[in-house]
Amino acid sequence: MADRPRALLAMSPEFLPLLFPDPLMRRLRDALDLDPGLVAQDFADPAVQPVFAEAEVLVSSWGVPRLDAEALAKAPRLRAVLHAAGTVKSIVAEEGWARGLAVSSSSGANALPVAEYTLASILMAGKGIFNLREDFRTQRSFTLGHVHPEVGNFGRTVGIVGASKIGRRVIELLRPFDFDVLVADPYLDEAEAAELGAELVDLDSLVARCDVVSVHAPDLPETAKLISAERLAAMKDGTVVVNTARGRLVDTDALTAEVAAGRLSAVIDVTHPEPLPAESPLYDLPNAFVTPHVAGSHGNELSRMGLFMVEEAERWARGEDLAHRVDPSTLWRQA
């Protein structure tokens, strides 16, 4: 099909078959004129340069070289970037936005497993599963019919810090359950929060009122230690802190102290530093559940990210608007 837009793949090659298994690669090649055997890791590579110079579309993922002024000068026909990964903050330089590149991202696809992980964490933490498992593993016995008065999800208050794509998806997933949901986000108004199904509050009110505080804010200089020692201290005894955003958003030392004291619990998939030092108490504390940055897309979930960009390629080839186009004016505050 001679009228297919010319395209180039750009990423670390090991991701290609995970993002685009055979059925998706066939669809991608039906939409775009590309060589699946050519995967760019360096736009200055002599094998890549001729194709890059003719490419209208770049299909990218983790490991793509940065599209800065030097790279863009080598690709005068480039008009679209279909990024089968999350944020494009570090991928597209100002010169790309100035050119008017249509940039699409699979961040919405990546938001889904993170939100699912968060929902599972909230539900299991509310049932006291993490502590009870440790107790049961130690004691190897329990009293049938014994009621644990401190657990249960009925009527709990969950606080969502940041109405990002992930934060919004978590709120959506919480709707079938008997939770009161609060949200704190300086860019959200009360009507938007109500439409999501949450009550808009400021962050200090949220941390003081909630039984679970789940972090979904962007990683910015001004959000470093957003969940500070003071805000952790303001949380009620027994509050669970869930962090699937970035470790820098939570004061690690203060959280460790609160969890070690037994006052708070934590489910943390991201830490600062990452990974934690081997001697960190968080690995061994029964009220800390630490996972190795796995909430986002892994395994077969990667092909969903690929699917998002295959569908975008098909839209582009038909001359339609991209469904997941990134708005550069809001990029700086996206999670």
Side-chain angles (χ1 to χ4, degrees):
M1 295 171 56
D3 57 345
R4 289 173 298 163
R6 192 75 185 276
L8 173 67
L9 295 162
M11 64 190 72
S12 295
E14 66 267 25
F15 295 120
L16 186 63
L18 298 172
L19 291 163
F20 302 106
D22 288 344
L24 289 182
M25 180 55 73
R26 286 194 293 271
R27 286 177 60 181
L28 190 63
R29 296 186 70 187
D30 284 343
L32 302 174
D33 178 9
L34 61 79
D35 177 1
L38 181 64
V39 184
Q41 296 180 271
D42 180 356
F43 294 135
D45 183 336
V48 169
Q49 281 188 342
V51 180
F52 192 41
E54 295 295 319
E56 178 185 342
V57 179
L58 191 71
V59 180
S60 62
S61 189
W62 299 287
V64 58
R66 181 169 169 80
L67 287 168
D68 55 17
E70 181 180 358
L72 289 165
K74 295 181 173 71
R77 299 184 61 190
L78 188 65
R79 295 293 177 267
V81 178
L82 309 183
H83 191 56
T87 182
V88 296
K89 288 179 185 177
S90 63
I91 305 304
V92 182
E94 284 299 323
E95 293 84 359
W97 300 114
R99 181 187 285 193
L101 288 178
V103 181
S104 185
S105 164
S106 290
S107 60
N110 198 44
L112 301 179
V114 180
E116 292 164 357
Y117 174 107
T118 303
L119 174 65
S121 299
I122 291 169
L123 292 172
M124 294 185 73
K127 287 291 287 185
I129 293 299
F130 304 121
N131 280 342
L132 290 173
R133 176 187 180 275
E134 293 300 314
D135 292 344
F136 191 26
R137 185 164 62 176
T138 300
Q139 298 166 8
R140 307 295 171 105
S141 181
F142 70 98
T143 301
L144 189 63
H146 172 73
V147 173
H148 298 274
E150 72 281 6
V151 308
N153 283 308
F154 180 69
R156 295 244 186 211
T157 302
V158 177
I160 304 299
V161 181
S164 60
K165 287 181 180 178
I166 298 169
R168 290 167 185 257
R169 179 61 173 165
V170 172
I171 293 171
E172 181 181 345
L173 292 178
L174 290 171
R175 286 176 189 163
F177 302 97
D178 293 309
F179 291 116
D180 293 322
V181 181
L182 310 183
V183 61
D185 189 311
Y187 301 98
L188 195 68
D189 62 35
E190 290 186 3
E192 289 176 304
E195 187 174 346
L196 289 172
E199 176 188 351
L200 181 66
V201 298
D202 63 68
L203 183 55
D204 290 326
S205 296
L206 183 147
V207 298
R209 291 174 55 185
C210 287
D211 302 295
V212 179
V213 174
S214 190
V215 183
H216 304 287
D219 183 12
L220 303 169
E222 56 267 35
T223 59
K225 295 186 179 180
L226 183 69
I227 307 301
S228 61
E230 293 77 14
R231 286 181 170 136
L232 289 164
M235 294 180 186
K236 300 183 295 186
D237 289 357
T239 297
V240 180
V241 178
V242 180
N243 189 10
T244 56
R246 286 293 183 268
R248 281 180 291 270
L249 274 64
V250 178
D251 185 326
T252 301
D253 291 341
L255 178 64
T256 302
E258 292 281 11
V259 173
R263 208 182 68 77
L264 303 180
S265 296
V267 180
I268 42 181
D269 186 55
V270 290
T271 60
H272 183 66
E274 193 169 47
L276 290 169
E279 65 274 13
S280 172
L282 291 173
Y283 288 119
D284 299 311
L285 290 168
N287 51 333
F289 191 80
V290 186
T291 54
H293 205 140
V294 296
S297 296
H298 283 263
N300 62 22
E301 294 163 338
L302 291 174
S303 64
R304 177 164 50 195
M305 302 182 80
L307 174 62
F308 266 47
M309 291 305 102
V310 167
E311 292 173 343
E312 290 287 66
E314 292 168 343
R315 293 183 187 99
W316 182 266
R318 293 193 298 264
E320 299 174 5
D321 291 337
L322 298 176
H324 306 291
R325 185 164 180 167
V326 176
D327 179 356
S329 69
T330 63
L331 183 63
W332 63 274
R333 62 180 174 89
Q334 293 177 10

